Amino acid sequence: GLPGVAVGADPKLALVGLFRVCEVISRVVSLSLFQLAVRNEPIPGLEDYFPDGLGNKGSACVILLDFIILVFMIFYWQAFRRGNLKNLAYAFPSVISFMNPMLLDDNAFTVPAWAYFCLRVFELAGMVGIAWKLECFHPGQGRRDFHDGHPENNLVEVEGLLGEFKDDRILAFVAAGCTVVMLVLVLLIRCWMVDNVLLQNNHMFQSHAFSETEDILCEKLLDVDRSKNDGDREEEFCREFHDFAQGQIDSICHDVELVIEDFRNQQADRASG
């Protein structure tokens, strides 16, 4: 695993926890509302081929399209740029949630945060636009919904959505509220709270062998491109990391020397006894 930046009762963890709750609720509820809005609505120009429009598969179509896009994005950032095909496994869970650690500065497992959340915003906007365009509500008896032949009863746009969500408005408010909180927390966390795990967690250098993802992050951290404007900052960062890693190695070597010396003393005591 990849150790985190914050541990214990760090307030950052509370914000990340709130963000994750809002992220999942926003995603699940928005998909459900989209399914309700486009259910059996005809698609303009395609009525002869799809008389029932997306039928009961609106959410499934969004999930499938999102999955395909994420596969290509993760392939580019992980497989093509880093040669790490294993991380393609994160494509499907990324349909629901951002799979990188929120407090990690670098892109560890999937795609950069800015790319993922730009996709989310465009996707939500597209879902709202499609629902706005396709929705046509036909008030009937009780909770039934049927064409009654009167144009004034064919409600569209705002009236249509309000009619469709008559019994589900609380879910629409929950989805909108969670989406707003999620986006605010994304900006807050990603702009002011992220850090580099490799310089934060001392224990990770001794706890286990680096995974392929950790190796890639380490190599990227040590790669200095002097042609960039921020080359001096990268070099300083690289030197800081090198000094830190060297300190960890020296500490381990010292501990090993103490163990060896203690072992020799025990052997000497036994021999003299």
Side-chain angles (χ1 to χ4, degrees):
L2 194 64
V5 173
V7 295
D10 196 313
K12 293 180 182 179
L13 292 180
L15 289 179
V16 171
L18 177 60
F19 161 78
R20 290 299 187 185
V21 171
C22 292
E23 179 189 25
V24 173
I25 292 176
S26 170
R27 184 62 171 162
V28 173
V29 177
S30 63
L31 285 171
S32 301
L33 293 175
F34 179 75
Q35 170 63 47
L36 179 61
V38 302
R39 179 183 54 188
N40 297 327
E41 299 290 355
I43 301 174
L46 299 176
E47 294 90 342
D48 294 338
Y49 304 98
F50 303 99
D52 294 327
L54 297 176
N56 293 318
K57 304 177 180 64
S59 294
C61 291
V62 173
I63 291 173
L64 178 60
L65 178 62
D66 193 40
F67 174 70
I68 293 173
I69 293 174
L70 284 167
V71 166
F72 280 103
M73 291 176 67
I74 295 175
F75 181 84
Y76 172 73
W77 264 290
Q78 295 294 329
F80 178 74
R81 298 187 62 174
R82 295 179 171 179
N84 189 3
L85 282 170
K86 294 180 181 178
N87 283 352
L88 282 172
Y90 293 104
F92 188 73
S94 294
V95 170
I96 299 297
S97 177
F98 182 54
M99 296 306 294
N100 277 337
M102 278 299 293
L103 295 174
L104 178 64
D105 186 33
D106 205 347
N107 167 32
F109 303 110
T110 55
V111 301
W114 66 265
Y116 182 87
F117 291 107
C118 281
L119 174 63
R120 280 286 162 268
V121 170
F122 287 135
E123 193 173 78
L124 280 171
M127 291 165 64
V128 171
I130 292 173
W132 179 280
K133 181 69 175 178
L134 297 186
E135 175 59 47
C136 184
F137 183 70
H138 315 284
Q141 299 296 325
R143 296 190 176 185
R144 297 184 61 193
D145 182 10
F146 63 91
H147 293 268
D148 58 7
H150 298 285
E152 64 270 16
N153 289 335
N154 298 331
L155 305 180
V156 297
E157 297 182 352
V158 175
E159 292 81 3
L161 291 174
L162 290 176
E164 189 69 72
F165 298 148
K166 179 177 60 177
D167 299 325
D168 304 290
R169 292 185 184 179
I170 183 64
L171 291 179
F173 289 128
V174 167
C178 286
T179 300
V180 171
V181 174
M182 177 192 75
L183 294 177
V184 171
L185 288 176
V186 164
L187 294 175
L188 179 64
I189 294 172
R190 297 301 303 180
C191 292
W192 289 287
M193 297 184 182
V194 296
D195 213 325
N196 198 297
V197 168
L198 296 180
L199 295 179
Q200 286 290 322
N201 195 300
N202 300 352
H203 179 65
M204 71 179 295
F205 286 94
Q206 307 173 36
S207 62
H208 63 282
F210 272 12
S211 66
E212 184 176 355
T213 296
E214 289 168 335
D215 279 335
I216 292 172
L217 293 176
C218 182
E219 291 171 2
K220 182 177 179 181
L221 182 64
L222 291 173
D223 183 22
V224 178
D225 186 357
R226 296 293 301 176
S227 64
K228 296 181 179 179
N229 294 331
D230 60 351
D232 292 337
R233 186 185 67 83
E234 288 189 358
E235 184 177 20
E236 180 181 354
F237 195 56
C238 176
R239 190 178 294 111
E240 180 183 352
F241 174 79
H242 179 272
D243 293 341
F244 174 78
Q246 188 62 52
Q248 294 296 313
I249 294 173
D250 292 342
S251 176
I252 294 172
C253 292
H254 179 68
D255 292 341
V256 171
E257 289 175 357
L258 290 178
V259 171
I260 293 175
E261 183 178 355
D262 184 58
F263 177 76
R264 287 175 176 173
N265 290 336
Q266 291 179 8
Q267 292 294 325
D269 293 340
R270 291 177 181 176
S272 61

